[in-house]
Structure formats: structure tokens, C-alpha cells
Amino acid sequence: MSPRHRRGEETRERLLAAALDLYEREGADGFTMTAVTAASGVSVGSLYHHFGSFDGLAAALYARCLSGLLDAVVAALAALPPGEGTGPGEGAGAEGGEGTEAAEVEGGEGGKSSEGGEGGEGTEVEGGEGDKGGKGAEAGGREEAEAWVAAGIRAVVTGYLGFTREHRAAAHFVHASAYAAFLPAHAALVAKEKEPRLAGILGWLRPYAEAGLVVELPDTLTEMLVVGPAAETARRWLAGAPGIDLDEACRLLPERIWRSLRADVPP
């Protein structure tokens, strides 16, 4: 990186950091171009050079804070132990997959074989004569996979609310600015940061839907069910609403979200 480019990056960082700190201290009313340039020591001309406008700066700050929040959720999913879900994009889940140690809904490494033996690869729980064959094994495989979904949902909730607690200023800016007037003109910038991360979160859940464990819904509705409760809890907590306990939400919300997503159990 050339010295000139490095200086430009440092100036952008100074403006973004000053803007976030100012918003957290002064709120929306104090979040002005004059205040940000004064706090950062950067000229108005330099702000326009790097962001095009003050709205451009606000949109860039929103995109950065949102990507940090979603990265925390993706990281929480990726950190699940083998057998308790999968990292986004790994193609595992209810049907198993390379790179996981989880048993498959229709069989898995280390399970009972359809002939009643131990450890057959690709073993199916519908096998007839083994100790866990037939409907009992099918139910057991389903219950295990459902536990993986529940673990993933717990990771989403704890990742989202953990970021909110640890990075309050960034979470506050995201939730306070979700419908701000500056966003529509910069929708492409926000989508560039949001869509691949959200696709990773929804992609983690998709194999479970394909396996019949989770209801199949449009992605926007699935997003509302999976992320929406944690987002609304965070919004109210950040706004100082009474009775909002993030620890309690992490304990209680995952099971309720899972129930809202759970496909009907076959007879």
C-alpha cells in the first residue's frame, strides 16, 4: 500500500470512528457533518472526497456496523462443536456432509448399520434388524438432528445479543438507523455487506428444511423468524425498555424460535 493510500485509509477510519463515537454520545440530533469533522479533525472537503456526502459517511458506518453484527452471528454458528450444527456454507446439516462428525438423519458414520452391525458408513436409520433399526432409529435420528437445529438457533441468538452487549455503540447505530432516510440511496452498499452474510446464516438452516425438519418459507420470512426475535430484543434493550434481560433472552428465545420453525412431525 502506497503512503498516499495508507493516509487515505487512516482518514476514512478517523471519520468513521469519530462518527460512531459522536452518535453514541450525542444521539441523532448531534450527529451532524460539522460535529463529525470537528471531532475527527478532518476537513469537510476530505469527508466529501472519501464518502461523497455526509449521508454517504452515515451509510458506510451503517454497513460497517451491520457487517460486524452479522459476522458475530456467522462466527457463533461456525464455532459450534461437530454434531451440533455446521458452519455456514459447509453444506452439512440434517443430511450430514464431509467435514462434520454429525450423524445423518438418514444415517451417518459410526451409527448402527441397517444389518444390525456397528459403524457402517452411510448407514441408514431406516435399516430393519439392528438394535436401532426401523421407526425407533428414524425417530432417534430426527431428534438428534433437531437438537442440532436448536443448537444453531441458540448460537444465532447468543451471537447477536453478545455483539449487542459487547459493541453497544455499533449495535445502537444499526438499530436506530434501520429506516433512516440516508439508506435508500445507498442500498447497494448495504446489500453488498449484508447479503452474503445473511446468505450464510440462512444457508446453515437450508439443509434442515430440505430434510423435512424445518418448515420451508421464503428467505425473508425465515430471516424474520430466526433473527427477528433477537433483533427486536436488542432494539428494546438498547432503547432502555424496562424488563429486557439479555441473559434471559439467550436462555428462553432459542427454544421458542425452534418451535416456530419446526416442521410437523410425521405420524
Side-chain angles (χ1 to χ4, degrees):
M1 182 185 296
S2 69
R4 180 178 180 180
H5 186 70
R6 187 180 302 110
R7 287 194 300 272
E9 287 298 308
E10 290 171 354
T11 299
R12 282 178 57 90
E13 290 298 318
R14 208 155 71 235
L15 282 164
L16 290 168
L20 182 60
D21 181 65
L22 182 71
Y23 191 93
E24 189 64 8
R25 285 189 291 105
E26 305 294 337
D29 291 341
F31 187 65
T32 65
M33 181 164 60
T34 299
V36 169
T37 53
S40 64
V42 176
S43 69
V44 173
S46 186
L47 184 153
Y48 271 82
H49 171 73
H50 289 289
F51 297 101
S53 65
F54 186 65
D55 281 356
L57 168 67
L61 180 59
Y62 178 85
R64 167 176 288 194
C65 294
L66 179 62
S67 65
L69 173 56
L70 294 178
D71 280 345
V73 176
V74 171
L77 281 170
L80 287 171
E84 291 192 8
T86 66
E90 291 180 359
E95 296 181 2
E98 293 185 0
T100 74
E101 297 176 11
E104 299 177 359
V105 171
E106 296 182 359
E109 295 184 13
K112 299 293 183 180
S113 76
S114 59
E115 298 295 328
E118 293 185 355
E121 294 187 4
T123 309
E124 296 189 359
V125 298
E126 295 178 5
E129 297 178 5
D131 293 338
K132 297 180 72 64
K135 290 185 177 179
E138 185 176 357
R142 184 183 183 92
E143 289 173 1
E144 189 174 23
E146 287 176 347
W148 302 340
V149 183
I153 292 171
R154 185 164 56 251
V156 170
V157 173
T158 56
Y160 198 109
L161 297 183
F163 179 91
T164 300
R165 191 199 304 272
E166 295 169 17
H167 303 278
R168 181 170 184 149
H172 184 199
F173 192 77
V174 168
H175 289 86
S177 306
Y179 300 101
F182 64 78
L183 284 181
H186 301 274
L189 169 64
V190 174
K192 181 180 177 181
E193 298 297 321
K194 178 181 179 180
E195 289 180 0
R197 293 169 169 86
L198 186 60
I201 297 168
L202 296 177
W204 153 75
L205 193 61
R206 193 165 293 116
Y208 296 102
E210 292 171 352
L213 293 160
V214 170
V215 293
E216 292 201 55
L217 297 170
D219 281 352
T220 52
L221 297 181
T222 301
E223 176 191 350
M224 290 177 192
L225 287 176
V226 176
V227 181
E232 180 61 15
T233 299
R235 187 189 68 79
R236 295 191 186 192
W237 182 78
L238 290 162
I244 304 297
D245 184 325
L246 297 189
D247 292 331
E248 182 180 54
C250 288
R251 188 171 67 254
L252 299 179
L253 282 179
E255 173 64 19
R256 298 297 171 177
I257 296 171
W258 159 233
R259 291 185 187 183
S260 72
L261 288 165
R262 191 170 186 248
D264 292 336
V265 179

